[in-house]
């Protein structure tokens, strides 16, 4: 049975309640401290959040270094202004805490009809995991504007952030968030995107560093014709927990979502989680959605959890599908390469590069693509290629 | 000078019902400049022979020897065998997503030669081979074997044969699934290789068709994991006329 048929059958039997989207609310009472058995928390080792969910007030902050091309502004706004502008309200505790505790918010503005050639770069650096940092950022891209936004997270902190991307009609936005933290960092991130009518958004989340990283990428639509491409790449080492949770809420007709996340795992206790939720609402006729998660397990002792969910409330869909696969090295691939004289380690290196290559090429930011290839190389050097050097 | 010597080779494969013997003592010597054709019905163990020589982990050698110029091949890892001068053109070449043909070829050439090829001559060489194999210029940018047609896969195997320049080439049903034009292109590629000094070829095929383009020096009939008959090129003509029945019949 196809995914669509399965979901429709479930709908016929009256099983579908919208369990994929807990209601959004700023009220902390709506987001109680989890015990770890909740559906949305069951994969996350709560202890390793190091108390973030207690929600202590803090004035710690990350250091900011920005590259703002002409036409782009970055200003501080109040919490009230954030809501007025149309911030996408939190639907889980860390994001609600970030909204409650961050004091104000930062607003990046790209005016309508502005085409920004150079990427906006925001470098956020933490100085210590003892720091508890609440982040609240809004990105407002006007109608028919075009911009690329790169967010780089380095250093260490316990960082919980709520980010909203408000994309105007017909705009083209490319967002990349790189989690390249030190080994002990904890990062809980909620990115939510509202895609304007006929707008197109690419959002890429890349996680290499940190002890525990849990990122949401949510997308909803302000009108018909919007397109969202959600990409992700992660590389979990020994003991790392990297979690990516996607939610495409097709709340308007003729909208598209395309999700591709790829991960590699190596070393004892490397754990990755990918949750791909897609909701196709009754109004959302003629939409197209596809989601895919692939994991490559490079050594023993790793765990990759991968859960696609498709919830469909209308039968009038142009296309819906999903794929999820977790695999070890393919012996046939390695044999083929080695039969051409390539050593085992070199063959493994080629296969891993190949695994990520097509995804990296889709990112669409040449300067970053180069760096990503290097980072994949460096990650491989830690384990798989250790014997080579 | 190169000699591949296979003596009384016995090979089994792991199956769910335990190990299954497939090669039951194969003896075969390929000397300098010789082309040997191995012909046999489906399931007779031809690919098993090819894979065993190349060192595929699924096949376990339980007896016999394989040497290349006196060196023990069975002791070598898969990649060592390739670096020693063995090449296997596979019946079913494997897809390697995301790895471009250009990158693959250069990595393999570097591994075989022990040093990176000179950039300028290498690009020329690759382009020349691609052209001769009737593969268009964009081919190098495609992922290895991914989405290739059957013919493209086989032509790509022979392009590798040309560039990697082994001592002995084992071609496992390189002719299967090719139309007549592709068959000619592939045969010309193999013949160019044969013209080089001291190359050995083990040509595994199910059909006699390719032997019109690649003239073997010897023909071996392979049945049930063993060589059932051997002779000169005329043996192929006889097989063409009478098929394998004669050999299958004697099995009982
Ligand atoms: N991996 C395997 N597992 C089980 N049986 C195998 C395997 N590989 C080959 N065989 C069996 O060995 C025999 C010979 O196969 P193969 O060498 O592919 O023959 P050919 O290439 O001549 O068609 C067949 O009966 C086949 O089913
Ligand atoms: Mg075969």
């Amino acid at each position: 049975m196809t995914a669509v048929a399965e979901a429709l059958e479930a709908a016929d039997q009256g099983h579908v309640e919208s369990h994929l989207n807990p209601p959004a609310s700023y009220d902390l009472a709506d987001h109680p401290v989890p015990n770890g058995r909740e559906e949305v928390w069951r994969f996350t080792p709560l202890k390793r959040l190091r108390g973030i969910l207690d929600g202590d007030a803090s004035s710690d902050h990350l250091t900011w270094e920005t590259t703002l091309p002409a036409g782009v502004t970055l200003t501080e706004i109040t919490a009230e202004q954030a809501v007025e502008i149309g911030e996408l309200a939190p639907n889980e505790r860390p994001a609600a805490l970030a909204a409650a505790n961050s004091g104000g918010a930062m607003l990046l503005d790209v005016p309508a009809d502005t085409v920004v050639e150079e990427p906006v770069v925001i470098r956020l650096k933490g100085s210590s995991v003892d720091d508890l940092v609440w982040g609240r950022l809004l990105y407002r891209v006007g109608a028919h504007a075009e911009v690329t936004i790169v967010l780089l997270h380095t250093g260490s902190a316990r960082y919980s952030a709520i980010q909203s991307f408000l994309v105007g009609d017909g705009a083209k936005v490319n967002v990349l968030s790189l989690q390249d933290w030190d080994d002990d960092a904890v990062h809980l991130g909620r990115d939510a995107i509202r895609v304007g009518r006929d707008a197109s958004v690419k959002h890429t989340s890349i996680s290499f560093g940190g002890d525990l990283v849990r990122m949401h990428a949510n997308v909803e639509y302000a009108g018909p014709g919007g397109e969202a491409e959600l990409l992700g790449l992660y590389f979990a080492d020994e003991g790392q927990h990297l979690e990516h949770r996607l939610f495409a809420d097709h709340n308007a007709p003729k909208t598209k979502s395309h999700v591709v996340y790829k991960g590699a795992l190596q070393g004892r206790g490397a754990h990755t989680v990918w949750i791909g939720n897609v909701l196709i609402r009754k109004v959302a006729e003629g939409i197209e959605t596809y989601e895919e998660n692939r994991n490559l397990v490079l050594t023993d002792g790793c765990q990759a959890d991968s859960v696609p969910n498709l919830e469909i409330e209308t039968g009038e869909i142009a296309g819906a599908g999903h794929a999820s696969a977790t695999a070890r090295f393919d012996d046939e691939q390695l044999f083929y390469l080695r039969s051409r004289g390539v050593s085992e380690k070199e063959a493994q290196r080629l296969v891993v590069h190949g695994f990520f290559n097509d995804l990296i090429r889709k990112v669409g930011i040449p300067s970053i693509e180069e760096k990503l290839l290097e980072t994949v190389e460096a990650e491989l050097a830690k384990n798989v290629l250790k014997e080579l050097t | 000078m190169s000699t591949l010597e296979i003596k009384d080779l016995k090979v089994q494969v792991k199956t769910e019902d335990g190990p299954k013997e497939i090669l039951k003592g194969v003896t075969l010597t390929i000397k300098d400049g010789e082309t040997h054709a191995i012909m046999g019905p489906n399931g007779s163990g031809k690919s098993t022979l090819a894979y065993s020589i190349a060192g595929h982990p699924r096949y376990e050698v339980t007896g016999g020897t394989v040497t290349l110029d006196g060196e023990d091949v069975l002791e070598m890892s898969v990649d060592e065998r390739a670096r020693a001068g063995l090449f296997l053109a596979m019946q079913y070449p494997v897809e390697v997503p995301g790895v471009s043909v250009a990158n693959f070829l250069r990595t393999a050439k570097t591994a075989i030669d022990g040093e990176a090829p000179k950039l300028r001559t290498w690009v020329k060489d690759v382009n020349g081979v691609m052209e001769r194999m009737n593969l268009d210029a964009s081919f190098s940018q495609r992922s290895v074997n991914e989405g290739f047609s059957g013919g493209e896969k086989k032509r790509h195997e022979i392009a590798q044969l040309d560039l990697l320049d082994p001592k002995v080439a084992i071609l496992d049903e390189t002719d299967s699934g090719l139309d007549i034009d592709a068959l000619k292109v592939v045969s010309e590629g193999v013949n160019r290789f044969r013209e080089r000094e001291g190359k050995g070829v083990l040509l595994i095929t199910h059909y006699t068709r390719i032997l019109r383009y690649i003239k073997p020096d010897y023909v071996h009939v392979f049945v049930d994991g063993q060589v059932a008959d051997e002779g000169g090129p005329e043996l192929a003509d006889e097989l063409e006329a009478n098929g394998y029945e004669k050999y299958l019949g004697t099995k009982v």
Side-chain angles (χ1 to χ4, degrees):
Chain A
M1 205 173 354
T2 65
V4 178
E6 268 172 46
L8 280 176
E9 189 174 86
D12 280 348
Q13 291 162 3
H15 289 323
V16 171
E17 294 143 30
S18 236
H19 62 284
L20 301 180
N21 53 334
S25 160
Y26 286 99
D27 188 351
L28 284 174
D30 293 333
H31 307 289
V33 180
N35 58 33
R37 288 190 298 275
E38 298 80 359
E39 180 55 33
V40 294
W41 287 104
R42 68 187 174 101
F43 292 105
T44 315
L46 295 179
K47 274 202 194 104
R48 283 162 59 188
L49 297 182
R50 295 182 182 236
I52 292 181
L53 296 178
D54 297 344
D56 296 340
S58 166
S59 57
D60 298 337
H61 55 84
L62 304 175
T63 54
W64 284 58
E65 212 190 290
T66 57
T67 305
L68 301 176
V72 178
T73 58
L74 183 68
T75 50
E76 213 173 324
I77 57 173
T78 64
E80 292 71 29
Q81 285 172 311
V83 176
E84 268 168 38
I85 284 169
E87 183 181 46
L88 297 157
N91 34 23
E92 52 143 27
R93 184 169 178 85
L97 288 170
N101 291 337
S102 54
M106 297 301 289
L107 171 67
L108 185 100
D109 244 318
V110 182
D113 301 309
T114 311
V115 175
V116 185
E117 300 286 350
E118 291 300 308
V120 173
V121 185
I122 300 176
R123 297 172 194 83
L124 301 177
K125 188 166 186 186
S127 52
S128 160
V129 75
D130 296 330
D131 289 354
L132 174 63
V133 182
W134 303 108
R136 188 173 193 177
L137 293 85
L138 288 87
Y139 304 79
R140 182 168 58 181
V141 180
H144 304 289
E146 292 181 24
V147 66
T148 293
I149 300 164
V150 178
L151 261 163
L152 305 175
H153 302 95
T154 59
S156 191
R158 286 172 294 153
Y159 182 51
S160 176
I162 176 168
Q163 301 203 108
S164 302
F165 298 84
L166 311 171
V167 177
D169 293 350
K172 278 196 169 57
V173 178
N174 189 356
V175 177
L176 181 137
S177 176
L178 177 65
Q179 291 70 248
D180 198 9
W181 297 103
D182 292 346
D183 286 346
D184 57 356
V186 180
H187 183 183
L188 304 179
R190 200 270 349 227
D191 285 7
I193 305 161
R194 185 187 289 131
V195 183
R197 185 188 175 103
D198 300 322
S200 78
V201 176
K202 185 184 290 197
H203 179 280
T204 307
S205 183
I206 296 177
S207 303
F208 288 118
D211 176 61
L212 188 152
V213 172
R214 178 181 143 117
M215 307 297 290
H216 289 264
N218 300 345
V219 54
E220 61 181 63
Y221 303 84
E227 291 183 20
E229 186 174 15
L230 304 175
L231 305 175
L233 187 163
Y234 46 88
F235 208 128
D237 294 325
E238 188 171 341
Q240 260 186 319
H241 177 94
L242 303 178
E243 180 167 347
H244 294 89
R245 308 183 70 93
L246 287 297
F247 180 39
D249 185 351
H250 284 276
N251 56 346
K254 301 272 180 207
T255 50
K256 286 186 191 167
S257 64
H258 191 101
V259 178
V260 182
Y261 269 64
K262 284 188 166 188
L265 299 84
Q266 61 180 3
R268 280 229 142 313
H271 186 199
T272 64
V273 179
W274 178 86
I275 310 291
N277 290 334
V278 175
L279 171 62
I280 304 171
R281 292 182 191 268
K282 226 176 181 74
V283 297
E285 295 192 349
I287 68 102
E288 277 175 55
T289 176
Y290 178 74
E291 49 170 356
E292 176 181 339
N293 174 229
R294 296 195 185 279
N295 296 295
L296 190 56
V297 175
L298 305 181
T299 67
D300 290 333
C302 309
Q303 189 180 338
D305 289 300
S306 180
V307 187
N309 283 313
L310 192 52
E311 187 179 326
I312 303 180
E313 295 173 349
T314 173
E316 307 295 316
I317 295 167
H322 62 69
S324 158
T326 297
R328 294 182 156 267
F329 277 121
D330 181 315
D331 286 341
E332 297 301 325
Q333 284 179 2
L334 295 181
F335 173 73
Y336 187 74
L337 295 170
R338 293 182 66 195
S339 77
R340 270 50 177 155
V342 178
S343 72
E344 183 174 14
K345 293 289 162 192
E346 181 76 5
Q348 291 180 342
R349 195 184 69 88
L350 274 177
V351 169
V352 174
H353 274 278
F355 178 72
F356 285 127
N357 257 347
D358 56 338
L359 191 107
I360 289 176
R361 278 195 228 112
K362 280 191 195 139
V363 168
I365 311 171
S367 56
I368 295 284
E369 288 171 21
E370 200 57 37
K371 186 175 151 42
L372 288 177
L373 288 170
E374 284 167 24
T375 311
V376 166
E377 189 71 22
E379 287 288 333
L380 282 173
K382 283 188 200 165
N383 205 313
V384 170
L385 296 182
K386 217 159 33 191
E387 291 143 59
L388 260 189
T389 48
Chain B
M1 123 99 215
S2 55
T3 303
L4 179 68
E5 209 171 353
I6 303 160
K7 271 196 198 147
D8 199 25
L9 186 67
K10 294 182 177 146
V11 171
Q12 64 182 24
V13 53
K14 284 177 222 103
T15 72
E16 272 154 31
D17 320 320
K20 175 183 168 188
E21 187 177 42
I22 298 175
L23 298 189
K24 299 168 180 172
V26 177
T27 299
L28 196 65
T29 301
I30 300 160
K31 296 212 195 82
D32 243 11
E34 292 180 352
T35 295
H36 292 241
I38 289 192
M39 304 198 59
N42 276 332
S44 57
K46 302 184 299 296
S47 290
T48 302
L49 176 64
Y51 276 132
S52 302
I53 297 169
H56 194 294
R58 199 171 3 151
Y59 300 92
E60 189 194 342
V61 175
T62 55
T65 58
V66 179
T67 58
L68 179 63
D69 297 334
E71 301 269 348
D72 185 353
V73 169
L74 300 179
E75 275 296 300
M76 300 178 197
S77 68
V78 176
D79 41 293
E80 280 169 349
R81 294 177 198 207
R83 293 197 294 273
L86 288 173
F87 178 87
L88 169 60
M90 290 186 206
Q91 187 176 358
Y92 303 107
V94 183
E95 295 182 2
V96 191
V99 176
S100 70
V101 167
N103 187 13
F104 166 64
L105 292 176
R106 200 164 36 79
T107 306
K109 184 66 176 172
T110 304
I112 297 274
D113 289 2
E115 59 177 354
K118 299 252 172 340
L119 195 61
R120 196 169 302 152
T121 50
W122 176 246
V123 172
K124 224 177 80 207
D125 289 351
V126 171
N127 289 342
V129 169
M130 291 300 171
E131 204 177 310
R132 286 196 294 278
M133 294 317 293
N134 217 349
L135 295 165
D136 73 48
S138 66
F139 193 79
S140 292
Q141 294 317 311
R142 293 172 66 183
S143 291
V144 172
N145 291 319
E146 202 178 38
F148 289 12
S149 68
E152 283 173 335
K153 283 184 184 166
K154 299 301 177 73
R155 281 180 280 155
H156 178 227
E157 295 290 284
I158 300 307
Q160 292 170 52
L161 171 68
D162 191 331
L163 290 165
L164 300 181
D165 195 32
K167 291 178 181 167
V168 177
I170 302 164
L171 312 176
D172 190 4
E173 298 210 25
T174 299
D175 54 328
S176 295
L178 296 183
D179 62 32
I180 196 72
D181 292 331
L183 183 66
K184 280 184 189 162
V185 168
V186 159
S187 301
E188 281 161 17
V190 174
N191 285 330
R192 273 193 301 275
F193 173 74
R194 296 205 304 158
E195 280 160 22
R196 295 178 196 166
E197 188 72 28
K199 303 296 184 187
V201 173
L202 184 60
L203 181 73
I204 296 175
T205 178
H206 181 72
Y207 308 101
T208 48
R209 193 173 62 143
I210 194 172
L211 304 183
R212 277 179 238 147
Y213 303 99
I214 303 173
K215 291 275 171 247
D217 302 299
Y218 302 92
V219 174
H220 311 264
V221 182
F222 211 69
V223 179
D224 192 25
Q226 279 172 313
V227 176
D229 200 359
E230 359 192 40
E234 72 287 349
L235 186 52
D237 300 331
E238 198 192 308
L239 285 171
E240 166 118 60
N242 304 323
Y244 296 111
E245 263 117 78
K246 175 173 138 195
Y247 303 104
L248 296 171
T250 60
K251 226 177 79 184
V252 205

